[in-house]
Amino acid sequence: MIIDVCVALGPNSEGYLAFLIETIEATASGQHSFHYILGLNDGSNFESIKKIVSGRSALLLDAHTGHGYSSMSHGLCFDLIFRHVSAPVALFVDCDVAFIQHDWDMIMLSRLHDRNVIIGAEYDGQKYKKFPNVICALFLTEPVSQLDISFKPESAPAVVSISQELRAIYGYESDQAVNIILDTGSELPRKLQLAGYTGTYMPLVRSNMPAAQFMEPDMRGEEYQLDGTPLFTHIGRS
């Protein structure tokens, strides 16, 4: 099976992209092939990125949005990328992610079925919880396409109040006041769950947390675990 690997690229992304691709391919099972769909947003270097994917199945898209380095720019880029996705499964992933567990593709794919359609990283902070986000998410493309999901942020950077009937959708108790940022990909939990679909979120673990396995003390970034095993890390670009 082909997996469409979708990455939105901006300033200072080339080195991260090269390492991401290296880890994707070094740790995958070998049972699937990868087609890279790369959105070159404001500040990305076309020639450098072209060299990185040379010899691989890849599509480079002009995704300059004019919004600079922002959540809106990121979401617009992902919307453009998704229009070019044709595989039944897509991996949306930030360029500063690295895969660290062998057979990660088989492990994540084993969680997808007709109703559980997405698996990936959990947000922390003042955002939705207990549902995958586009830092790294593997998902069945048909439901996302049928529900006409956009990856543009619905409120970022503004904080919005969530109505009581939607609080559980965003991972909160219905009796607590919820004020969050609806950032890039925020339509995913709302539209998928209201349509009867579910997702598997992978808890975020930082180096100062007892559950950390890959992260060492004072290491920047986080790891994302499935059943206690870290599958990938995310460093946060500078």
Side-chain angles (χ1 to χ4, degrees):
M1 181 177 69
I2 296 173
I3 296 174
D4 282 339
V5 179
C6 306
V7 190
L9 300 169
N12 191 32
S13 59
E14 294 82 19
Y16 293 99
L17 175 66
F19 189 62
L20 166 64
I21 291 175
E22 179 183 340
T23 64
I24 284 174
E25 296 175 353
T27 57
S29 64
Q31 300 301 306
H32 308 102
S33 57
F34 300 106
H35 174 61
Y36 298 94
I37 307 177
L38 308 178
L40 279 64
N41 208 332
D42 302 341
S44 55
N45 187 308
F46 177 84
E47 291 302 325
S48 295
I49 293 167
K50 184 178 178 181
K51 289 179 182 178
I52 291 169
V53 296
S54 177
R56 294 180 168 92
S57 174
L59 173 65
L60 276 60
L61 301 172
D62 182 350
H64 290 74
T65 65
H67 285 268
Y69 188 60
S70 66
S71 293
M72 180 58 71
S73 181
H74 202 53
L76 287 167
C77 189
F78 270 141
D79 277 355
L80 173 62
I81 289 170
F82 191 64
R83 290 199 289 270
H84 293 268
V85 166
S86 59
V89 175
L91 175 70
F92 270 39
V93 58
D94 280 359
C95 67
D96 53 341
V97 165
F99 286 84
I100 57 175
Q101 175 62 41
H102 284 288
D103 296 340
W104 64 266
D105 52 333
M106 300 297 289
I107 295 169
M108 294 178 74
L109 282 167
S110 71
R111 299 301 180 97
L112 301 183
H113 52 74
D114 58 345
R115 303 314 297 174
N116 197 71
V117 298
I118 185 169
I119 177 173
E122 177 189 30
Y123 272 136
D124 66 350
Q126 201 172 8
K127 299 182 181 180
Y128 71 77
K129 302 181 184 298
K130 301 180 181 179
F131 203 83
N133 68 70
V134 293
I135 288 174
C136 184
L138 187 76
F139 59 90
L140 302 182
T141 57
E142 185 175 0
V144 173
S145 178
Q146 288 180 342
L147 293 171
D148 194 27
I149 289 175
S150 169
F151 296 92
K152 294 192 298 292
E154 296 176 276
S155 78
V159 174
V160 296
S161 178
I162 303 302
S163 62
Q164 186 174 16
E165 61 268 22
L166 289 178
R167 290 170 187 169
I169 290 291
Y170 293 115
Y172 293 86
E173 298 297 328
S174 61
D175 60 351
Q176 66 179 123
V178 178
N179 299 287
I180 60 174
I181 300 169
L182 295 177
D183 210 339
T184 308
S186 60
E187 288 189 11
L188 287 167
R190 177 171 56 84
K191 288 190 173 181
L192 285 173
Q193 290 182 94
L194 289 177
Y197 296 108
T198 59
T200 299
Y201 68 92
M202 299 170 59
L204 179 154
V205 179
R206 298 193 187 279
S207 62
N208 60 354
M209 295 179 177
Q213 295 190 34
F214 175 80
M215 305 292 292
E216 297 180 356
D218 300 320
M219 185 180 286
R220 194 176 100 195
E222 61 270 355
E223 64 186 60
Y224 293 89
Q225 299 182 356
L226 187 64
D227 297 332
T229 298
L231 299 193
F232 54 86
T233 68
H234 173 243
I235 192 169
R237 294 190 297 130
S238 59

